[in-house]
Amino acid sequence: MQNQRILLAARPIGDIKPTDFEARTETLEALEEGKARIRVVYLSLDPAMRGWMSADENSYVPPIPLGSTMRGIATGIVAQSKTDKLKEGDWVSGFLGWTQYADVAPEEVNVLPQAVPMDAYMGVLGLAGATAYCGYKEILEPQAGQTLCVTGAAGSVGSLVGQMAKADGLKVIGIAGSEEKCKWLTDELGFDAALNYKTDNLMKGIHDFAPDGLDIHFENVGGAPFQAALYNMKAHGKIALCGLISTYNSTEAPAGPELSAMIKKRLTMKGFVMTDHWHRFGEILGKVGEYLGKGQLKYRLDVVEGLENAPTAINKLFDGSNKGKLTIKVSEL
Ligand SMILES: NC(=O)c1ccc[n+]([C@@H]2O[C@H](COP(=O)([O-])OP(=O)(O)OC[C@H]3O[C@@H](n4cnc5c(N)ncnc54)[C@H](OP(=O)(O)O)[C@@H]3O)[C@@H](O)[C@H]2O)c1
């Protein structure tokens, strides 16, 4: 049986280029005893991949070795099993990588309930949902009546943060990169307000929305939107620092934001990574499922067909052209 996988061929400088990857087609060896062969259905493309591709040894996961399969979270179906812990037809998720088939030990994957469409495990019941819940609930500890700002607001994480906050009775403003995205936030998702960071005056826009300041802020992008939110925080406010996507392709150290407001306003800001909470995924996604079950969360996927398109599709994350959770459809369900 033939398998196509995509390897990391070079560490990107600046933007990710197709030449940073190499596609390889090989004949699969016989499946080892104790393992299962997974046919990948959906591969999640995530901003964090840009960091994993770099040589940075000083992060929460080691760099992807050059010449090895590109790392990625994916969902798939057990196609063959030589372990009694996984049976043919089971749905699983894990770090399966950019590949059509992955041979795994049972402890490397989670078995997924087949009660929702498989693509839900890419977004709302996947890394994005868990990240949104953890950062919003566990770091920001929101209370009804508070004011929350979220950047990257129309993205897979940001859109869920804002909707959870609306469901909990908060006032929500989102910052995103197009009129279409801002309209989606207010008209479809129920955000109270949205600002376009490419055209709106963010300092003024946030101040007009929350003249007394923001109680809590969920940061996904960095740069000017982060600076504007930081400037508009209330004293003793809280910030969940989830991501800084605007800096990921930079070849120079970022110029800001200027962080003295952290001290002047005695703010709490906490960085976090979801991989620390991997063992709690089931519990956390159960909580996300409560919002979903009550019809309080909408989500959308941006599905690109074919593993061979992953090396170019990943840049949709950085030019903002993804509308929803960026996902590669590797094979038919
Ligand atoms: N800490 C964790 O464990 C964890 C886990 C998952 C994700 N994250 C972080 O969460 C953030 C969002 O990830 P996601 O998976 O939900 O992706 P996403 O928001 O679905 O897609 C990325 C979005 O980022 C925005 N963006 C790209 N470049 C930008 C720039 N220079 N300035 C402002 N916005 C820019 C684009 O939206 P616009 O059109 O609005 O520009 C783009 O659509 C990322 O920073 C990611 O690293 C962290």
Side-chain angles (χ1 to χ4, degrees), residues 44-49 60 127-128 131-132 151-159 175-178 181 197-198 218-223 225 241-249 271-277 316-326:
S44 175
L45 295 186
D46 293 289
M49 288 170 167
Y60 59 98
L127 180 69
T131 305
T151 56
S156 24
V157 173
S159 62
I175 302 177
S178 73
K181 288 185 179 182
Y197 69 85
K198 292 180 182 159
F218 194 109
E219 183 56 44
N220 282 318
V221 307
L241 185 55
C242 174
L244 294 168
I245 193 170
S246 69
T247 66
Y248 296 172
N249 285 337
F272 69 104
V273 286
M274 273 318 294
T275 39
D276 290 346
H277 304 279
K316 296 181 78 168
L317 294 167
F318 299 97
D319 65 19
S321 59
N322 64 314
K323 290 187 182 159
K325 176 72 198 83
L326 186 59

Side-chain angles (χ1 to χ4, degrees), residues 1 14 18 22 46-47 53 61 69 80 85 119 130 167-168 199 215 218 252 260-261 264 271 318 323 325-326:
M1 185 195 276
E22 183 195 323
D46 293 289
M53 293 167 80
V61 283
T69 304
Q80 188 190 352
K85 297 196 177 102
D119 64 16
D168 292 345
T199 54
D215 295 290
F218 194 109
E252 285 164 24
S260 62
K264 290 179 191 157
F318 299 97
K323 290 187 182 159
K325 176 72 198 83
L326 186 59

Side-chain angles (χ1 to χ4, degrees), residues 51-228:
W52 302 344
M53 293 167 80
S54 79
D56 183 8
E57 298 275 355
N58 193 21
S59 187
Y60 59 98
V61 283
I64 301 166
L66 288 176
S68 68
T69 304
M70 178 67 195
R71 186 183 292 149
I73 298 174
T75 56
I77 299 179
V78 177
Q80 188 190 352
S81 182
K82 289 193 178 174
T83 162
D84 53 12
K85 297 196 177 102
L86 293 170
K87 59 178 190 312
E88 277 180 35
D90 278 350
W91 289 6
V92 296
S93 76
F95 282 90
L96 303 176
W98 292 27
T99 182
Q100 291 174 317
Y101 288 90
D103 291 357
V104 297
E107 58 275 14
E108 291 178 83
V109 291
N110 293 316
V111 177
L112 302 171
Q114 300 190 8
V116 294
M118 189 190 269
D119 64 16
Y121 295 112
M122 281 285 102
V124 66
L125 294 179
L127 180 69
T131 305
Y133 182 86
C134 248
Y136 163 67
K137 275 284 199 200
E138 301 188 358
I139 293 183
L140 296 178
E141 300 177 304
Q143 289 165 27
Q146 285 187 325
T147 303
L148 170 140
C149 178
V150 54
T151 56
S156 24
V157 173
S159 62
L160 295 173
V161 169
Q163 290 180 86
M164 287 179 192
K166 282 313 300 171
D168 292 345
L170 280 81
K171 233 178 113 187
V172 175
I173 184 166
I175 302 177
S178 73
E179 284 312 306
E180 185 274 340
K181 288 185 179 182
C182 287
K183 212 166 144 34
W184 184 62
L185 295 176
T186 52
D187 297 2
E188 297 276 328
L189 304 191
F191 282 44
D192 298 289
L195 297 172
N196 180 345
Y197 69 85
K198 292 180 182 159
T199 54
D200 290 331
N201 179 332
L202 299 183
M203 291 284 185
K204 180 174 181 318
I206 299 175
H207 178 74
D208 288 349
F209 175 76
D212 297 332
L214 301 165
D215 295 290
I216 51 180
H217 173 65
F218 194 109
E219 183 56 44
N220 282 318
V221 307
F226 186 17
Q227 181 69 68

